[in-house]
mmCIF file of all heavy atoms in Angstrom:
data_model
loop_
_atom_site.group_PDB
_atom_site.id
_atom_site.type_symbol
_atom_site.label_atom_id
_atom_site.label_comp_id
_atom_site.label_asym_id
_atom_site.label_seq_id
_atom_site.Cartn_x
_atom_site.Cartn_y
_atom_site.Cartn_z
ATOM 1 N N VAL A 146 1.863 4.819 -6.893
ATOM 2 C CA VAL A 146 2.130 4.204 -5.611
ATOM 3 C C VAL A 146 3.527 3.610 -5.638
ATOM 4 O O VAL A 146 3.922 2.972 -6.619
ATOM 5 C CB VAL A 146 1.103 3.107 -5.283
ATOM 6 C CG1 VAL A 146 1.503 2.347 -4.023
ATOM 7 C CG2 VAL A 146 -0.278 3.721 -5.117
ATOM 8 N N GLN A 147 4.265 3.820 -4.570
ATOM 9 C CA GLN A 147 5.576 3.236 -4.421
ATOM 10 C C GLN A 147 5.587 2.312 -3.207
ATOM 11 O O GLN A 147 5.047 2.667 -2.145
ATOM 12 C CB GLN A 147 6.654 4.293 -4.257
ATOM 13 C CG GLN A 147 6.828 5.192 -5.472
ATOM 14 C CD GLN A 147 5.800 6.315 -5.496
ATOM 15 O OE1 GLN A 147 5.506 6.926 -4.479
ATOM 16 N NE2 GLN A 147 5.254 6.577 -6.683
ATOM 17 N N LEU A 148 6.198 1.145 -3.357
ATOM 18 C CA LEU A 148 6.295 0.167 -2.284
ATOM 19 C C LEU A 148 7.761 -0.173 -2.073
ATOM 20 O O LEU A 148 8.472 -0.482 -3.033
ATOM 21 C CB LEU A 148 5.521 -1.099 -2.626
ATOM 22 C CG LEU A 148 4.030 -0.944 -2.894
ATOM 23 C CD1 LEU A 148 3.437 -2.252 -3.399
ATOM 24 C CD2 LEU A 148 3.314 -0.493 -1.623
ATOM 25 N N VAL A 149 8.206 -0.117 -0.833
ATOM 26 C CA VAL A 149 9.591 -0.397 -0.506
ATOM 27 C C VAL A 149 9.640 -1.487 0.552
ATOM 28 O O VAL A 149 9.157 -1.287 1.672
ATOM 29 C CB VAL A 149 10.334 0.854 -0.005
ATOM 30 C CG1 VAL A 149 11.776 0.509 0.348
ATOM 31 C CG2 VAL A 149 10.294 1.947 -1.062
ATOM 32 N N GLU A 150 10.223 -2.628 0.194
ATOM 33 C CA GLU A 150 10.374 -3.740 1.115
ATOM 34 C C GLU A 150 11.728 -3.679 1.803
ATOM 35 O O GLU A 150 12.708 -3.183 1.223
ATOM 36 C CB GLU A 150 10.242 -5.084 0.386
ATOM 37 C CG GLU A 150 8.963 -5.263 -0.395
ATOM 38 C CD GLU A 150 9.164 -5.073 -1.877
ATOM 39 O OE1 GLU A 150 10.051 -4.278 -2.276
ATOM 40 O OE2 GLU A 150 8.437 -5.725 -2.658
ATOM 41 N N SER A 151 11.785 -4.229 2.995
ATOM 42 C CA SER A 151 13.040 -4.337 3.716
ATOM 43 C C SER A 151 12.974 -5.505 4.685
ATOM 44 O O SER A 151 11.885 -5.995 5.000
ATOM 45 C CB SER A 151 13.372 -3.044 4.471
ATOM 46 O OG SER A 151 12.389 -2.771 5.453
ATOM 47 N N LEU A 164 9.912 -8.956 7.802
ATOM 48 C CA LEU A 164 9.883 -8.102 6.626
ATOM 49 C C LEU A 164 8.916 -6.954 6.839
ATOM 50 O O LEU A 164 7.926 -7.078 7.563
ATOM 51 C CB LEU A 164 9.446 -8.895 5.387
ATOM 52 C CG LEU A 164 10.203 -10.180 5.068
ATOM 53 C CD1 LEU A 164 9.666 -10.789 3.775
ATOM 54 C CD2 LEU A 164 11.699 -9.925 4.967
ATOM 55 N N SER A 165 9.182 -5.852 6.182
ATOM 56 C CA SER A 165 8.272 -4.725 6.203
ATOM 57 C C SER A 165 8.131 -4.152 4.806
ATOM 58 O O SER A 165 9.031 -4.261 3.982
ATOM 59 C CB SER A 165 8.725 -3.646 7.187
ATOM 60 O OG SER A 165 9.950 -3.071 6.774
ATOM 61 N N CYS A 166 6.997 -3.541 4.554
ATOM 62 C CA CYS A 166 6.728 -2.895 3.284
ATOM 63 C C CYS A 166 6.000 -1.594 3.558
ATOM 64 O O CYS A 166 4.897 -1.597 4.125
ATOM 65 C CB CYS A 166 5.873 -3.794 2.389
ATOM 66 S SG CYS A 166 5.257 -2.980 0.885
ATOM 67 N N ALA A 167 6.606 -0.493 3.150
ATOM 68 C CA ALA A 167 6.024 0.822 3.342
ATOM 69 C C ALA A 167 5.506 1.361 2.014
ATOM 70 O O ALA A 167 6.233 1.363 1.016
ATOM 71 C CB ALA A 167 7.053 1.775 3.937
ATOM 72 N N ALA A 168 4.270 1.817 2.011
ATOM 73 C CA ALA A 168 3.655 2.368 0.819
ATOM 74 C C ALA A 168 3.654 3.888 0.888
ATOM 75 O O ALA A 168 3.436 4.479 1.944
ATOM 76 C CB ALA A 168 2.222 1.858 0.666
ATOM 77 N N SER A 169 3.872 4.517 -0.255
ATOM 78 C CA SER A 169 3.836 5.967 -0.332
ATOM 79 C C SER A 169 3.267 6.385 -1.677
ATOM 80 O O SER A 169 3.088 5.566 -2.577
ATOM 81 C CB SER A 169 5.230 6.571 -0.125
ATOM 82 O OG SER A 169 6.126 6.130 -1.133
ATOM 83 N N GLY A 170 3.000 7.669 -1.819
ATOM 84 C CA GLY A 170 2.411 8.190 -3.031
ATOM 85 C C GLY A 170 0.904 8.319 -2.895
ATOM 86 O O GLY A 170 0.392 8.651 -1.833
ATOM 87 N N ILE A 172 -1.956 6.807 -2.144
ATOM 88 C CA ILE A 172 -2.313 5.552 -1.484
ATOM 89 C C ILE A 172 -3.662 5.612 -0.774
ATOM 90 O O ILE A 172 -3.909 4.846 0.163
ATOM 91 C CB ILE A 172 -1.217 5.129 -0.491
ATOM 92 C CG1 ILE A 172 -0.909 6.276 0.485
ATOM 93 C CG2 ILE A 172 0.045 4.710 -1.239
ATOM 94 C CD1 ILE A 172 0.085 5.909 1.561
ATOM 95 N N ILE A 175 -6.904 2.110 0.103
ATOM 96 C CA ILE A 175 -6.215 0.824 0.039
ATOM 97 C C ILE A 175 -7.194 -0.292 0.395
ATOM 98 O O ILE A 175 -7.870 -0.234 1.426
ATOM 99 C CB ILE A 175 -5.006 0.791 0.975
ATOM 100 C CG1 ILE A 175 -3.941 1.778 0.501
ATOM 101 C CG2 ILE A 175 -4.421 -0.619 1.049
ATOM 102 C CD1 ILE A 175 -2.766 1.910 1.439
ATOM 103 N N MET A 178 -3.068 -5.140 1.444
ATOM 104 C CA MET A 178 -1.615 -5.193 1.301
ATOM 105 C C MET A 178 -1.157 -6.580 1.710
ATOM 106 O O MET A 178 -1.620 -7.113 2.715
ATOM 107 C CB MET A 178 -0.920 -4.144 2.160
ATOM 108 C CG MET A 178 -1.172 -2.709 1.727
ATOM 109 S SD MET A 178 -0.221 -1.507 2.709
ATOM 110 C CE MET A 178 1.455 -1.850 2.131
ATOM 111 N N TRP A 180 1.893 -10.065 0.797
ATOM 112 C CA TRP A 180 3.197 -10.566 0.395
ATOM 113 C C TRP A 180 3.063 -11.745 -0.551
ATOM 114 O O TRP A 180 2.246 -12.652 -0.320
ATOM 115 C CB TRP A 180 4.018 -11.003 1.616
ATOM 116 C CG TRP A 180 4.394 -9.877 2.513
ATOM 117 C CD1 TRP A 180 3.712 -9.436 3.602
ATOM 118 C CD2 TRP A 180 5.558 -9.055 2.397
ATOM 119 N NE1 TRP A 180 4.376 -8.381 4.182
ATOM 120 C CE2 TRP A 180 5.512 -8.127 3.463
ATOM 121 C CE3 TRP A 180 6.624 -9.014 1.510
ATOM 122 C CZ2 TRP A 180 6.500 -7.158 3.658
ATOM 123 C CZ3 TRP A 180 7.609 -8.054 1.697
ATOM 124 C CH2 TRP A 180 7.537 -7.152 2.756
ATOM 125 N N ASP A 216 -0.319 -1.919 9.557
ATOM 126 C CA ASP A 216 -0.484 -0.668 10.274
ATOM 127 C C ASP A 216 -1.069 0.321 9.281
ATOM 128 O O ASP A 216 -0.359 0.871 8.439
ATOM 129 C CB ASP A 216 0.845 -0.168 10.833
ATOM 130 C CG ASP A 216 0.693 1.046 11.725
ATOM 131 O OD1 ASP A 216 -0.259 1.824 11.521
ATOM 132 O OD2 ASP A 216 1.525 1.228 12.630
ATOM 133 N N LYS A 219 0.342 3.938 9.214
ATOM 134 C CA LYS A 219 1.664 4.064 8.609
ATOM 135 C C LYS A 219 1.719 3.543 7.182
ATOM 136 O O LYS A 219 2.773 3.606 6.555
ATOM 137 C CB LYS A 219 2.700 3.327 9.454
ATOM 138 C CG LYS A 219 2.914 3.902 10.838
ATOM 139 C CD LYS A 219 4.006 3.137 11.576
ATOM 140 C CE LYS A 219 4.263 3.727 12.945
ATOM 141 N NZ LYS A 219 5.321 2.980 13.669
ATOM 142 N N ASN A 220 0.602 3.023 6.693
ATOM 143 C CA ASN A 220 0.557 2.422 5.359
ATOM 144 C C ASN A 220 1.671 1.398 5.185
ATOM 145 O O ASN A 220 2.374 1.375 4.152
ATOM 146 C CB ASN A 220 0.646 3.508 4.280
ATOM 147 C CG ASN A 220 -0.522 4.466 4.330
ATOM 148 O OD1 ASN A 220 -1.677 4.047 4.381
ATOM 149 N ND2 ASN A 220 -0.230 5.759 4.333
ATOM 150 N N THR A 221 1.801 0.546 6.168
ATOM 151 C CA THR A 221 2.872 -0.430 6.197
ATOM 152 C C THR A 221 2.317 -1.800 6.521
ATOM 153 O O THR A 221 1.416 -1.933 7.356
ATOM 154 C CB THR A 221 3.935 -0.042 7.235
ATOM 155 O OG1 THR A 221 4.480 1.240 6.902
ATOM 156 C CG2 THR A 221 5.066 -1.056 7.275
ATOM 157 N N VAL A 222 2.854 -2.814 5.865
ATOM 158 C CA VAL A 222 2.505 -4.192 6.153
ATOM 159 C C VAL A 222 3.771 -4.934 6.559
ATOM 160 O O VAL A 222 4.850 -4.674 6.026
ATOM 161 C CB VAL A 222 1.802 -4.860 4.955
ATOM 162 C CG1 VAL A 222 2.742 -4.996 3.760
ATOM 163 C CG2 VAL A 222 1.229 -6.215 5.343
ATOM 164 N N TYR A 223 3.621 -5.843 7.508
ATOM 165 C CA TYR A 223 4.740 -6.585 8.055
ATOM 166 C C TYR A 223 4.516 -8.081 7.860
ATOM 167 O O TYR A 223 3.385 -8.555 7.775
ATOM 168 C CB TYR A 223 4.923 -6.301 9.551
ATOM 169 C CG TYR A 223 5.055 -4.839 9.882
ATOM 170 C CD1 TYR A 223 3.931 -4.070 10.161
ATOM 171 C CD2 TYR A 223 6.305 -4.233 9.903
ATOM 172 C CE1 TYR A 223 4.045 -2.725 10.466
ATOM 173 C CE2 TYR A 223 6.430 -2.887 10.206
ATOM 174 C CZ TYR A 223 5.302 -2.143 10.494
ATOM 175 O OH TYR A 223 5.424 -0.805 10.791
ATOM 176 N N CYS A 239 6.134 -7.209 -2.022
ATOM 177 C CA CYS A 239 4.965 -6.566 -1.448
ATOM 178 C C CYS A 239 3.970 -6.239 -2.554
ATOM 179 O O CYS A 239 4.350 -5.841 -3.663
ATOM 180 C CB CYS A 239 5.393 -5.294 -0.719
ATOM 181 S SG CYS A 239 4.068 -4.418 0.125
ATOM 182 N N LEU A 241 0.068 -4.280 -3.272
ATOM 183 C CA LEU A 241 -0.970 -3.395 -2.770
ATOM 184 C C LEU A 241 -2.113 -3.304 -3.774
ATOM 185 O O LEU A 241 -1.873 -3.162 -4.975
ATOM 186 C CB LEU A 241 -0.396 -2.005 -2.486
ATOM 187 C CG LEU A 241 -1.327 -0.936 -1.901
ATOM 188 C CD1 LEU A 241 -0.536 0.032 -1.025
ATOM 189 C CD2 LEU A 241 -2.053 -0.167 -2.998
ATOM 190 N N GLY A 252 6.229 -3.999 -5.133
ATOM 191 C CA GLY A 252 7.552 -3.541 -4.775
ATOM 192 C C GLY A 252 8.618 -4.251 -5.581
ATOM 193 O O GLY A 252 8.333 -5.120 -6.412
#
Side-chain angles (χ1 to χ4, degrees):
V146 173
Q147 296 82 42
L148 301 172
V149 179
E150 304 103 329
S151 62
L164 307 182
S165 65
C166 171
S169 61
I172 53 176
I175 294 175
M178 293 184 70
W180 294 93
D216 187 332
K219 295 182 178 180
N220 298 311
T221 300
V222 66
Y223 305 90
C239 183
L241 182 150

